[in-house]
Amino acid sequence: MIKIDYTNVMAKVIGEKDGIIPQEFDEYNHIVHEIHEKILKEKDTHFYFTKLPYQDTQDIKTLAKEIRENFDYFVVIGIGGSALGNQMIQEAINGFNYNNFEFPKLYILDNVDPEKFGNILDLIDIRKTIFNVITKSGSTVETMANFAIIYTTLKELLPDTYKNHLIFTTDPEKGFLRKFGQLEGIKTLDIPPAVGGRFSVLTSVGLLSAAVCGIDIDALLEGAKKADKICSKTSIVIENPAYLIGLIHYIAAEKKGKSISVMMPYFERLSSFVDWYRQLWAESLGKQGYGQTPVKAIGTIDQHSQIQLFREGPKDKIVTFIQVEKSLRDFKIPSDLPPEISYLSGYTLKEILDMELLGTRAALTKSKVPNLTITIDELNPYNLGMLIYIYELATGFTGYLYKINPFDQPAVEEGKNFAYGLMGRKGYEEKLREFKELNRQEFILEL
């Protein structure tokens, strides 16, 4: 069960300057209906991710079983949409202690930071490790750099069996990794061509590592399927969770000056969900001068850091709280306490966590900071699947409200092109010249 309480974004509660009046929802009825019809027509193209809940998972589950039986370590080599979703599902469902007690242990190589790379190598036995190299383009710089080292190491240590320690997940037809996999005879999984990286968590990109770690991927997809059926049925905003989230944030940004979207779960297992959301929201919507800056906050930790800014700083934020009703564990505070802290007696940590959320929400509302609360009865694969789908659809929908393409990332490519020029990649000589012109370094303070 998922519930969205948007009371505190409404003008009735926080005033018309910062809040939304019902008539503002009504103003977009026609546009929302048009976008809804467009989305339904584009389920085979731009919105292909909406079809992923209906896929057959048998091959992934069979492969995951083979991996569990033959390897002690599963390492994802990827970055961005090829890594954040894996981490998000793992932490949300299996928590933070999985690698301390379970096998296969999951590690994610998502950066070319040499110390992080080395630290992960220190934790694994390469002879007992399978590496899942994930890149849709087949040529992502960071992924290819890490892969090149691992590939060479595997060939040196295991010249006869190194291929058994590699799985490629990439475009089904094009790209270096697809061609290299075919040439080498390495097991290769497909990323549907119509699904962009940041929308790919419910493909083999995220499902394989989840299944390897014992997560019920069918339940994950069932939750997403339920969300798809709800959202496909109606364009009425207050009955469609994805459109509701999208339109609230759009109006908040464009009419109320709320250029920052804060997501603040009061459940640390959702910490990586916020990381995944940040990429989804920022990379999809940050175009042509539009988009909100997504900010991560964790309750109660950030009550003691960022809430001061949220309440008394610039009034440019809308906050989404996420509450999980049922915790897998809880601890009761003893009753025999000194008088100064006796008010804590008899409460559990979960009860205090929930009351802290209520208090923070009331404080933000008092300061007229718009905030909505998403409540989940239990953090399980089914509910996580619903949440993933809702936010993916909300992102695509909001992009269409802005009349931009939410499925590309042209500004990201420019940085990659400069890096290619610096590395001496053929065809990027002009980018190297442009880089040298931009990188003047005329004003520098050295200490």
Side-chain angles (χ1 to χ4, degrees):
M1 181 275 292
I2 294 179
K3 179 174 65 176
I4 302 173
D5 181 352
Y6 58 101
T7 303
N8 296 336
V9 303
M10 301 305 290
K12 183 177 181 180
V13 177
I14 60 174
E16 291 188 15
K17 179 181 177 183
D18 299 288
I20 299 171
I21 59 175
Q23 290 89 335
E24 287 176 306
F25 278 158
D26 295 340
E27 288 175 16
Y28 289 93
N29 283 343
H30 181 68
I31 296 172
V32 170
H33 181 72
E34 286 184 350
I35 293 174
H36 178 72
E37 293 299 316
K38 189 175 182 181
I39 289 171
L40 293 179
K41 291 176 182 177
E42 293 183 356
K43 286 202 167 193
D44 286 320
T45 54
H46 292 112
F47 285 82
Y48 191 88
F49 67 85
T50 63
K51 302 182 76 170
L52 297 176
Y54 302 91
Q55 68 189 282
D56 184 355
T57 61
Q58 190 54 55
D59 289 346
I60 292 175
K61 290 184 293 186
T62 300
L63 178 58
K65 182 174 183 292
E66 293 174 2
I67 292 169
R68 287 198 304 270
E69 291 172 350
N70 292 285
F71 297 94
D72 289 343
Y73 305 93
F74 185 90
V75 177
V76 170
I77 302 178
I79 195 169
S82 298
L84 288 171
N86 304 70
Q87 187 77 27
M88 175 260 288
I89 295 175
Q90 172 72 351
E91 286 187 4
I93 304 304
N94 284 338
F96 300 104
N97 285 336
Y98 173 88
N99 278 358
N100 293 330
F101 303 107
E102 304 292 340
F103 286 94
K105 300 183 186 300
L106 173 67
Y107 295 101
I108 297 177
L109 271 173
D110 61 350
N111 203 345
V112 285
D113 183 322
E115 293 201 5
K116 180 173 184 177
F117 184 94
N119 288 342
I120 289 179
L121 289 189
D122 292 342
L123 293 170
I124 65 175
D125 180 348
I126 287 184
R127 294 174 179 83
K128 298 179 181 179
T129 303
I130 188 163
F131 296 88
N132 184 195
V133 186
I134 307 175
T135 162
K136 186 182 179 187
S137 68
S139 59
T140 306
V141 171
E142 299 88 348
T143 304
M144 288 297 96
N146 287 330
F147 162 66
I149 297 170
I150 293 299
Y151 175 74
T152 302
T153 304
L154 282 172
K155 287 192 76 172
E156 291 174 352
L157 286 176
L158 306 164
D160 297 325
T161 61
Y162 72 92
K163 296 177 186 179
N164 299 332
H165 293 255
L166 289 166
I167 298 173
F168 295 163
T169 305
T170 189
D171 187 276
E173 296 179 358
K174 59 186 180 181
F176 162 76
L177 204 62
R178 169 62 60 176
K179 295 176 182 176
F180 189 74
Q182 292 171 341
L183 183 67
E184 290 273 300
I186 293 169
K187 174 71 176 176
T188 308
L189 303 179
D190 296 342
I191 303 174
V195 178
R198 58 188 176 273
F199 292 88
S200 68
V201 63
L202 296 182
T203 70
S204 56
V205 168
L207 294 182
L208 179 60
S209 64
V212 166
C213 294
I215 294 169
D216 187 345
I217 60 173
D218 288 330
L220 193 71
L221 294 180
E222 278 299 317
K225 188 185 300 182
K226 174 68 173 179
D228 176 64
K229 290 179 178 178
I230 292 171
C231 294
S232 297
K233 185 171 58 176
T234 180
S235 65
I236 299 173
V237 169
I238 60 172
E239 296 178 8
N240 187 311
Y243 296 176
L244 179 64
I245 289 170
L247 187 58
I248 285 173
H249 282 78
Y250 177 81
I251 294 174
E254 294 304 302
K255 290 195 170 187
K256 313 297 176 179
K258 311 307 178 186
S259 60
I260 295 175
S261 169
V262 179
M263 182 174 282
M264 190 171 186
Y266 274 68
F267 212 68
E268 282 207 54
R269 280 164 50 202
L270 284 170
S271 176
S272 287
F273 180 84
V274 187
D275 296 330
W276 173 82
Y277 161 75
R278 280 191 305 190
Q279 184 200 6
L280 187 69
W281 203 248
E283 199 168 67
S284 298
L285 304 180
K287 292 157 191 171
Q288 300 176 29
Y290 296 116
Q292 291 173 311
T293 301
V295 169
K296 179 179 182 177
I298 301 295
T300 62
I301 295 167
D302 282 295
Q303 289 178 204
H304 300 268
S305 59
Q306 297 191 77
I307 290 298
Q308 173 65 39
L309 173 69
F310 297 169
R311 287 199 66 202
E312 294 191 2
K315 299 299 185 195
D316 56 359
K317 300 165 191 71
I318 177 172
V319 179
T320 300
F321 295 108
I322 305 181
Q323 180 180 31
V324 179
E325 291 180 334
K326 182 181 178 182
S327 177
L328 294 177
R329 307 174 73 185
D330 205 358
F331 299 89
K332 190 171 184 178
I333 298 170
S335 56
D336 186 16
L337 296 175
E340 293 84 356
I341 59 171
S342 61
Y343 65 90
L344 295 171
S345 297
Y347 288 116
T348 68
L349 291 182
K350 181 62 169 63
E351 288 170 339
I352 291 175
L353 183 69
D354 291 340
M355 286 185 282
E356 292 276 12
L357 186 156
L358 294 173
T360 303
R361 186 170 66 186
L364 289 177
T365 303
K366 183 177 180 179
S367 297
K368 302 189 184 304
V369 177
N371 61 89
L372 57 156
T373 303
I374 297 176
T375 302
I376 304 170
D377 60 345
E378 182 179 358
L379 187 50
N380 54 32
Y382 182 87
N383 284 336
L384 182 63
M386 286 190 70
L387 200 61
I388 288 169
Y389 182 96
I390 287 168
Y391 267 95
E392 287 184 338
L393 184 58
T395 302
F397 166 79
T398 306
Y400 279 12
L401 283 174
Y402 281 118
K403 297 182 180 179
I404 60 171
N405 180 1
F407 304 108
D408 65 0
Q409 52 282 332
V412 176
E413 302 306 318
E414 186 76 342
K416 291 180 181 178
N417 293 339
F418 283 132
Y420 288 145
L422 287 167
M423 293 177 216
R425 185 174 180 179
K426 187 177 180 180
Y428 290 84
E429 295 80 8
E430 181 58 37
K431 282 296 172 186
L432 178 59
R433 286 190 288 271
E434 186 180 355
F435 171 83
K436 289 178 178 178
E437 176 63 25
L438 292 167
N439 194 45
R440 294 181 181 182
Q441 296 185 329
E442 294 179 5
F443 303 95
I444 299 174
L445 171 64
E446 291 189 12
L447 304 179

